[in-house]
Amino acid sequence: MGRPKLTTIFTSNNHQRLPSSDPTRQNLVGDKSDAPNDGFPSSVFGFLRRLMSGNKIDGGSRTEAEEKVYSWLYALAQSDKYVVFEYVGSTERGLSFTEAERRLKENGPNVPLDHSFPSWWHLLWNAFFHPFNIILIVLSVVSYITSDNPNGCIMLVLVFISVSLRFYQEYSSSKAAMKLSELVRCPVKVQRCAGRVVQTELTVQIDQRDVVAGDIVIFEPGDLFPGDVRLLSSKHLVVSQSSLTGESMTTEKTADIREDQSTPLLELRNICFMGTNVVSGSGTGLVVSTGSKTYMSTMFSAIGKRKPPDDFENGVRRISYVLIAVMLVVVTIIVLTDYFTSHNLSESVIFGISVASALTPQMLPLIVNTSLAKGALSMARDRCIVKSITAIQDMGSMDVLCIDKTGTLTMNRAIMVNHLDSQGLPKEKVLRFAFLNSYFKTDQKYPLDDAILAYVYTNGYRFQPSKWSKIDEIPFDFIRRRVSVILETESYVEDRDHQFLKRFMVTKGALEEVMKVCSFIEHVDSGAISTLSSEDYQNILSMAEEVSNEGLRTIGVAIKRLKLQNSNGSMANDEAFESDMVFLGLVTFFDPPKDSAKQALWLLAEKGVKAKVLTGDSLSLAIRVCKEVGIKTTHVITGPELELLSQESFHETVKQATVLARLTPTQKLRVVQSLQTVGKHVVGFLGDGVNDSLALDAANVGISVDSGVSVAKDFADIILLEKDLNVLVAGVEQGRLTFGNTMKYLKMSVIANVGSVISLLIATLVLQYEPLSPKQLLTQNFLYSVGQIAIPWDKMEEDYVKTPQRWSRKGLPLFILWNGPVCTICDVATLVFLYFYYHATDLEDDRFFHSAWFIEGLLMQTLIIHLIRTEKIPFIQEVASWPVICSTVVISAIGIAILYTPIGEVMGFVYLPLSYFGFLVVLFVGYFSVGQVVKRLYIFVYKRWL
C-alpha cells in the first residue's frame, strides 16, 4: 500500500504558472578586456543621456553592463578552477606585490560605487532654476518697486521654502548612495608572492579597497567577500547572501564543481559575490571582479538614475510655461493699450507687471507644502515618518503596491502546525521528543524552538520534563544543521523493550541532515523498528516536498537509545554519536499572516490599489501566504523563469502576475520599471533590506520600516515604525486628500486669474483707462491669496478618495476652457452694468469704477473656491470645512470694509451704494447657477471634475 496523501489546507491549486521561453545567452570567455566596466560619464553627458533615454528604461531587459557581468561570471563558473587563473592573469601563488600595485593604480580602489556625486551648489542651482520660482522672483522685485512690500516679501518667502525643500531632499538622496560602500569596508586576508628569484607565498592583511582582480583571498566565518570570487578550495562553506536576495536562508558553496548555464546566477555554488558573508566553514578564492565590475556594483549603479518623472511637478512646470506665454501676450497688449491712452510709459509698464502678478498663482508652493506637511503630521500620529513630503502626493496617485512577504504580510515568526510520522499521520511521540530537544537545549534558542514549546503548552500536552535530566549536548552549527541532546529518565512507560536502558540521544534539524545520520525508521503506530530503505527515504522526501508545496517549513526528528557504558563523559564534540539513529518523523511550521494584513489589503483594493508580492522566498511559501491574506494566485512566476522571457513576454507577464517569487534585486527593479513605463502605473514599493534598495529608489513611493537596514531607510520616502499595512491605507487617503486640495487651488486660481486678466484686458480696451490702479490690483491679489491659505484644511468627498488620482496633461487646459469663460462673462456683465446703469464711462468716474471692480473681482475670486471644490451644488448639497468658510467670510468682509476706512481713501476708493451690492447678489447667484450647469456638462463629458 502507498503512503496516504497528506491532508492539504487548500482544496485547490488554482494558480497558473506563466509561460516562459528559451533565450540565447552570450558567453564571455577568456578576454579580460571585455570584463564589465561600468564607468560613469561626465555629469553633462550623463545628464543628457538620461534625459534623452528616460522613457526607454522599461525593465524588460538587462543593461549591457549587466549582460557582461552575467556572461563573465557564468564563464568562470563553467570552467575548471585551475583554468580561471588564465582568465584574470594570475597564478596559484597569487599576485606579486608589484603587479597588485600596478593593477590598483590602473583600475582604481575597490569600492562598489565609484560615483561622483553632484556638488551642493549644483543641487542648489537645480532646485532654484524652476520657471515658477523665476516668475515669483521677478514679480517680487516688481512688488518692491511699486512699494507693495508685503506682497513682495511673501513671494520671496515662498521661493525660499520651495528651493529649501527640494535642495534638502535631493542632497539627502545623493548622500544615501554613499552608504552602500560601508557594506564592504573591512580588512581582507590575501595571498601574495614575493621574491625576484625564488618566490615565497605570503599571507598579508590589506584593506578591502586595495584588493584587485587576481588576488587570492582567504576567508573564515564572519568575513565579507571583497569582490566577486571564484572558489579555489572550500571546507563546509556556508554563505549568507541576504544582502543580495533578502532571504534569511544560507547557501552552501563548494569549489569542486563546474556549473552550467541553467543555474540561476545567485545560485552558482562555486561563485561568491561581493557584499555577502561567510556564516561557517572556510576556504580560498580567486578574486575575478572588483569595484564597479562586480555584480553588486552593476546592480546598484542604477541608484539615483531611474526615478520616474513626477507627473505633478512636470504638470506645474508646463502650466508655468503656459502662464509665461499668456503673460507676454496679454501684458504686452495691456501695456500698449494703456500707453496709447495715458501716454505715460512708466505707469503703463507698472500696471502691466501688476497684471502679470495677478495672473500668477502665487500661493501654490505654500498651499502644496502646507497640504503635504499637514498630511505628514497626520501620518506621524499613525507612527509613520515621512522623509520626503512629496511622497504623500504620490501615494494619492499610487495604484500598484509591491510588497515583500516577510514581516509585512506575515508575523515574521514561526508557528508550529503539525507533527507527522513517516507515513504522514499526526503522532504524539514525534512531538514529545521534539519538545524534549527544544526544552533541554541550552546553546541557543531559535524561533522554531519557541514555536514547539508554545504549541505544547497551549494545546495542553503534559510531557513532564521534570522526569528527564540532561546529560550532554551537541550544539547546532551551520555545517551539520542539527542539534542533539542526551537525556535520561527514571521511567519510560512506553518502552516495551527492557534490554535498552533509559538514556536517549534526541536529534532534530534540517530534514536532509537528520536523515543522513539515520539507519532505522520507527513505525510509530505499531512501534516496530526497521531498516531505513531507499523506498522509505524517497517517501519521506516526497512527503516533505508535499508539505513544502503548501508553504510549510519542515524539520526532522530522530532518536537513539544509548547504553550507559556508551554514554559516559562529554560528547559535545563527538559527532560519531550522531549515527545509526531511528527516524521518528517531522515537524511542520508556518509563518502566519498578520491579522491586520487581510483587512488592510482589502481596504487598499477597495481604494483602487492592487497588491503584488515581490519576494526572494520560495514560490510555494509565497502562494500559501497570499491565499491566507486574500491575494489572488491565479498568475505566479519565479525569478529564474523571468530570466527566460523575451522583452514583450516579460512586460505581459509582469502585468498579469500577482506573486513573483525568488527574485533578485535587479529583477525587482525591472518589475517596478515595467509597471511604471509599460503599465503606466504609479508604483509603491515596501521593502526593508539592502536587496530592496534598487526597487525603493526606482519606485514612485519607496516605503521601508524602522527595523530595516540603514541603506533601505535612506532610499525610502516613508518609514513605518510598525510593520502594519493599515498605516499605508491612511497614507493613501492623506495623499488623495492632499492631491485634491492642491488641484482645487490650482484649478481655481488659474481660472480666476486668467478670467480676471482677460476681463482687465477687455475693460482696458473699452474704457480706455486702467480698471484698477497697480496698488489696487496688487491689494486685491494679496487679499485673495491670503484667503486661500485655509484650503489645505478643507475636506474631500468620499468618492474622490476611493480612486487613485493622477495629474492629467489635458485636464487643466480643458478645465480652463470650460470654466474660464464663466468668470469672464460675470466680469463683463459687471462692466456692462457699471457702463449703462452708473454711466461709469470716463475718467471722472474712474474712482467709482475702481471701487466697484475691486469689490466684484475680490468677491468673485474668494467665492469661486466653493464652486470648484465639489461636484455637488455648493452650500446646498455640500458645504466646505469651517476654516474655508471662515476664510471666505473674513476676506470678503475685509475687502468691503477697506472702502469705508482711511486706507481705502488713500488707495483711491469711494463709497459704493447699496444698489451695487444688490446687483452683486444677483450676479453671484447667476454665476453659481451657470457654473453648476457647466460643471455638470463637464462631468458628463469627461467623467471627472477635479
Side-chain angles (χ1 to χ4, degrees):
M1 294 180 63
R3 175 177 58 85
K5 182 175 177 63
L6 282 171
T7 302
T8 59
I9 295 177
F10 306 105
T11 56
S12 63
N13 292 324
N14 59 345
H15 51 274
Q16 175 184 349
R17 298 300 287 272
L18 295 170
S20 60
S21 59
D22 295 327
T24 303
R25 284 192 176 123
Q26 296 181 351
N27 289 332
L28 174 65
V29 183
D31 188 1
K32 188 182 70 172
S33 64
D34 291 335
N37 187 5
D38 188 20
F40 287 85
S42 64
S43 58
V44 176
F45 291 105
F47 172 77
L48 292 175
R49 187 178 305 165
R50 294 194 295 273
L51 183 65
M52 296 295 291
S53 62
N55 292 332
K56 296 179 181 178
I57 304 175
D58 56 16
S61 59
R62 289 195 291 258
T63 64
E64 181 181 353
E66 290 172 338
E67 283 290 354
K68 287 184 177 181
V69 168
Y70 273 64
S71 300
W72 175 245
L73 293 179
Y74 271 110
L76 296 169
Q78 295 173 47
S79 304
D80 186 85
K81 61 182 179 180
Y82 298 107
V83 179
V84 296
F85 288 105
E86 299 180 12
Y87 294 165
V88 295
S90 185
T91 67
E92 297 181 26
R93 292 183 175 182
L95 296 174
S96 66
F97 287 91
T98 303
E99 175 64 15
E101 185 178 352
R102 186 192 68 79
R103 295 189 182 191
L104 184 62
K105 290 181 179 179
E106 179 181 339
N107 299 316
N110 177 31
V111 291
L113 286 177
D114 186 15
H115 199 296
S116 55
F117 294 94
S119 59
W120 66 268
W121 59 265
H122 181 73
L123 294 174
L124 183 61
W125 171 254
N126 287 339
F128 173 79
F129 194 75
H130 187 282
F132 196 81
N133 292 333
I134 302 301
I135 293 173
L136 289 179
I137 290 174
V138 171
L139 294 179
S140 66
V141 172
V142 174
S143 297
Y144 281 113
I145 294 174
T146 57
S147 301
D148 185 17
N149 296 337
N151 205 25
C153 182
I154 288 174
M155 285 187 281
L156 287 179
V157 169
L158 296 179
V159 172
F160 176 77
I161 293 174
S162 176
V163 172
S164 298
L165 286 174
R166 184 173 179 183
F167 170 72
Y168 173 77
Q169 291 165 7
E170 293 190 0
Y171 184 68
S172 300
S173 177
S174 66
K175 286 182 64 178
M178 296 181 181
K179 294 199 174 182
L180 285 172
S181 61
E182 297 176 3
L183 294 171
V184 290
R185 282 289 189 92
C186 59
V188 180
K189 290 181 181 179
V190 299
Q191 178 179 300
R192 297 266 175 92
C193 57
R196 295 184 178 181
V197 180
V198 179
Q199 291 190 332
T200 305
E201 299 171 5
L202 299 176
T203 300
V204 295
Q205 184 168 286
I206 62 175
D207 187 80
Q208 164 265 330
R209 295 170 58 90
D210 298 330
V211 174
V212 297
D215 268 331
I216 296 176
V217 293
I218 303 167
F219 42 84
E220 299 171 344
D223 289 344
L224 285 171
F225 288 99
D228 292 340
V229 172
R230 170 60 161 92
L231 293 178
L232 300 176
S233 65
S234 60
K235 180 179 180 182
H236 304 306
L237 182 60
V238 179
V239 174
S240 171
Q241 298 186 155
S242 59
S243 60
L244 299 180
T245 65
E247 296 184 67
S248 58
M249 301 298 291
T250 55
T251 304
E252 293 186 15
K253 299 283 186 177
T254 179
D256 300 320
I257 190 173
R258 294 176 64 177
E259 293 284 9
D260 55 50
Q261 200 77 20
S262 62
T263 306
L265 183 69
L266 293 181
E267 296 179 17
L268 296 174
R269 287 172 292 174
N270 57 6
I271 299 290
C272 296
F273 300 92
M274 183 184 220
T276 62
N277 64 285
V278 179
V279 175
S280 63
S282 59
T284 60
L286 180 67
V287 178
V288 295
S289 299
T290 60
S292 61
K293 300 178 182 180
T294 60
Y295 171 77
M296 178 185 182
S297 179
T298 306
M299 181 177 67
F300 285 109
S301 63
I303 289 293
K305 300 180 183 178
R306 315 222 174 170
K307 201 75 170 179
D310 187 282
D311 289 342
F312 184 83
E313 183 178 346
N314 288 343
V316 171
R317 188 180 292 271
R318 285 192 292 269
I319 290 299
S320 301
Y321 292 138
V322 172
L323 289 178
I324 291 174
V326 173
M327 274 184 204
L328 294 175
V329 175
V330 174
V331 171
T332 301
I333 295 174
I334 288 179
V335 169
L336 292 176
T337 303
D338 188 68
Y339 173 71
F340 288 135
T341 56
S342 66
H343 301 289
N344 189 331
L345 182 60
S346 61
E347 287 291 331
S348 299
V349 171
I350 292 176
F351 176 68
I353 297 178
S354 301
V355 172
S357 176
L359 185 60
T360 306
Q362 302 169 9
M363 301 299 288
L364 181 61
L366 184 61
I367 296 296
V368 172
N369 292 325
T370 303
S371 297
L372 295 175
K374 179 177 175 292
L377 290 175
S378 177
M379 293 184 69
R381 288 192 290 268
D382 292 326
R383 297 184 59 75
C384 178
I385 299 174
V386 180
K387 288 178 54 188
S388 174
I389 60 175
T390 56
I392 300 177
Q393 206 158 249
D394 290 328
M395 286 192 73
S397 304
M398 181 177 69
D399 57 353
V400 172
L401 176 63
C402 299
I403 54 182
D404 186 22
K405 175 194 69 63
T406 305
T408 305
L409 296 178
T410 63
M411 295 182 180
N412 203 20
R413 61 184 178 88
I415 298 293
M416 182 177 159
V417 178
N418 217 332
H419 41 94
L420 309 172
D421 65 4
S422 57
Q423 300 299 311
L425 300 175
K427 291 300 178 182
E428 184 176 309
K429 186 173 183 179
V430 178
L431 177 61
R432 176 190 295 113
F433 282 102
F435 166 79
L436 291 173
N437 180 287
S438 297
Y439 184 88
F440 284 102
K441 62 172 289 194
T442 57
D443 180 60
Q444 186 175 358
K445 294 288 186 183
Y446 288 95
L448 298 186
D449 296 308
D450 297 332
I452 293 173
L453 297 177
Y455 182 88
V456 170
Y457 294 144
T458 56
N459 287 277
Y461 291 98
R462 298 184 180 276
F463 293 141
Q464 298 178 316
S466 60
K467 293 187 177 181
W468 296 77
S469 58
K470 177 181 173 182
I471 304 300
D472 209 339
E473 175 179 353
I474 304 178
F476 176 88
D477 61 62
F478 285 98
I479 300 173
R480 293 165 42 255
R481 293 196 297 163
R482 59 181 180 263
V483 58
S484 298
V485 293
I486 298 175
L487 306 175
E488 184 178 276
T489 182
E490 296 178 0
S491 62
Y492 185 56
V493 296
E494 296 184 13
D495 184 10
R496 302 177 181 178
D497 191 350
H498 296 288
Q499 295 180 6
F500 290 94
L501 298 175
K502 302 161 189 175
R503 215 172 252 194
F504 301 87
M505 172 176 284
V506 184
T507 301
K508 79 174 192 307
L511 181 61
E512 299 85 352
E513 300 300 328
V514 170
M515 293 182 66
K516 283 182 182 179
V517 296
C518 290
S519 302
F520 306 96
I521 184 171
E522 178 172 342
H523 304 282
V524 180
D525 52 350
S526 63
I529 297 177
S530 61
T531 302
L532 180 64
S533 63
S534 58
E535 183 180 356
D536 292 328
Y537 188 88
Q538 290 302 322
N539 286 341
I540 294 171
L541 291 181
S542 298
M543 178 178 64
E545 183 178 359
E546 186 175 341
V547 170
S548 178
N549 289 336
E550 292 296 340
L552 302 178
R553 290 183 60 185
T554 60
I555 62 171
V557 181
I559 63 172
K560 180 180 181 180
R561 303 183 184 183
L562 303 176
K563 296 181 180 180
L564 283 174
Q565 59 267 32
N566 291 338
S567 56
N568 291 329
S570 175
M571 292 161 285
N573 297 315
D574 194 350
E575 297 181 13
F577 278 86
E578 291 181 329
S579 61
D580 296 330
M581 303 194 72
V582 179
F583 184 80
L584 292 183
L586 50 86
V587 181
T588 63
F589 302 88
F590 180 51
D591 185 3
K594 292 179 178 176
D595 296 333
S596 60
K598 187 171 185 178
Q599 178 188 7
L601 289 173
W602 182 81
L603 290 174
L604 286 171
E606 194 179 46
K607 296 184 183 300
V609 180
K610 298 179 181 179
K612 290 180 180 286
V613 174
L614 278 59
T615 179
D617 290 328
S618 67
L619 181 62
S620 59
L621 185 56
I623 290 175
R624 166 74 183 267
V625 173
C626 290
K627 286 183 176 180
E628 289 274 346
V629 298
I631 296 178
K632 293 182 179 180
T633 58
T634 51
H635 295 89
V636 299
I637 197 166
T638 64
E641 291 170 337
L642 280 178
E643 288 293 323
L644 303 177
L645 296 175
S646 64
Q647 191 164 344
E648 292 183 2
S649 299
F650 179 92
H651 296 311
E652 185 62 28
T653 300
V654 168
K655 176 183 176 181
Q656 296 181 20
T658 54
V659 181
L660 299 96
R662 296 178 62 199
L663 297 183
T664 65
T666 52
Q667 287 171 337
K668 291 182 180 181
L669 170 66
R670 293 190 190 111
V671 169
V672 170
Q673 290 173 343
S674 176
L675 291 170
Q676 290 170 330
T677 57
V678 179
K680 304 300 181 184
H681 295 289
V682 177
V683 181
F685 186 89
L686 175 56
D688 57 2
V690 176
N691 59 301
D692 297 319
S693 299
L694 283 175
L696 284 170
D697 182 62
N700 300 85
V701 185
I703 309 164
S704 189
V705 295
D706 188 45
S707 58
V709 299
S710 60
V711 173
K713 290 189 288 186
D714 284 333
F715 285 115
D717 303 305
I718 295 173
I719 299 176
L720 308 181
L721 299 183
E722 296 178 359
K723 290 185 178 181
D724 189 351
L725 290 179
N726 283 301
V727 177
L728 296 184
V729 177
V732 168
E733 293 177 350
Q734 284 293 333
R736 293 173 186 176
L737 177 64
T738 299
F739 186 87
N741 284 332
T742 304
M743 292 308 298
K744 284 179 192 176
Y745 171 76
L746 190 59
K747 290 185 174 182
M748 172 204 68
S749 61
V750 172
I751 289 173
N753 293 353
V754 171
S756 174
V757 169
I758 293 175
S759 301
L760 284 171
L761 175 60
I762 295 173
T764 302
L765 293 174
V766 172
L767 299 174
Q768 298 297 308
Y769 64 83
E770 299 171 356
L772 289 174
S773 68
K775 284 188 177 182
Q776 293 167 349
L777 183 57
L778 291 173
T779 301
Q780 181 193 68
N781 190 53
F782 173 74
L783 289 174
Y784 154 72
S785 298
V786 171
Q788 309 313 314
I789 295 178
I791 289 179
W793 283 268
D794 195 16
K795 57 186 178 180
M796 295 299 302
E797 297 172 4
E798 292 184 4
D799 292 340
Y800 187 85
V801 297
K802 286 183 179 179
T803 56
Q805 304 297 329
R806 299 187 66 175
W807 178 277
S808 173
R809 290 188 177 184
K810 298 180 180 179
L812 189 57
L814 289 172
F815 197 88
I816 296 172
L817 289 176
W818 277 72
N819 295 273
V822 179
C823 296
T824 303
I825 289 172
C826 290
D827 289 336
V828 171
T830 303
L831 176 62
V832 172
F833 180 76
L834 294 172
Y835 189 91
F836 290 102
Y837 188 81
Y838 291 109
H839 304 290
T841 58
D842 51 44
L843 290 174
E844 296 179 358
D845 299 315
D846 64 341
R847 296 186 64 188
F848 175 80
F849 188 91
H850 287 170
S851 303
W853 192 270
F854 176 85
I855 291 299
E856 185 272 341
L858 178 63
L859 295 181
M860 169 71 71
Q861 292 179 325
T862 304
L863 291 172
I864 192 175
I865 178 60
H866 297 278
L867 179 66
I868 300 300
R869 64 171 298 277
T870 176
E871 297 180 7
K872 302 176 182 178
I873 301 175
F875 303 113
I876 298 176
Q877 294 179 325
E878 176 70 14
V879 181
S881 62
W882 68 264
V884 175
I885 297 255
C886 291
S887 173
T888 301
V889 172
V890 170
I891 295 300
S892 300
I894 291 175
I896 295 173
I898 285 178
L899 302 180
Y900 306 95
T901 64
I903 297 176
E905 185 174 349
V906 172
M907 294 186 66
F909 292 136
V910 297
Y911 296 173
L912 293 175
L914 289 178
S915 58
Y916 180 71
F917 289 101
F919 163 76
L920 290 181
V921 172
V922 175
L923 177 72
F924 290 131
V925 169
Y927 167 72
F928 277 99
S929 300
V930 175
Q932 190 65 27
V933 171
V934 173
K935 180 195 299 182
R936 298 314 306 173
L937 289 173
Y938 182 89
I939 295 173
F940 177 77
V941 174
Y942 299 106
K943 311 302 180 186
R944 63 176 296 174
W945 180 237
L946 290 177

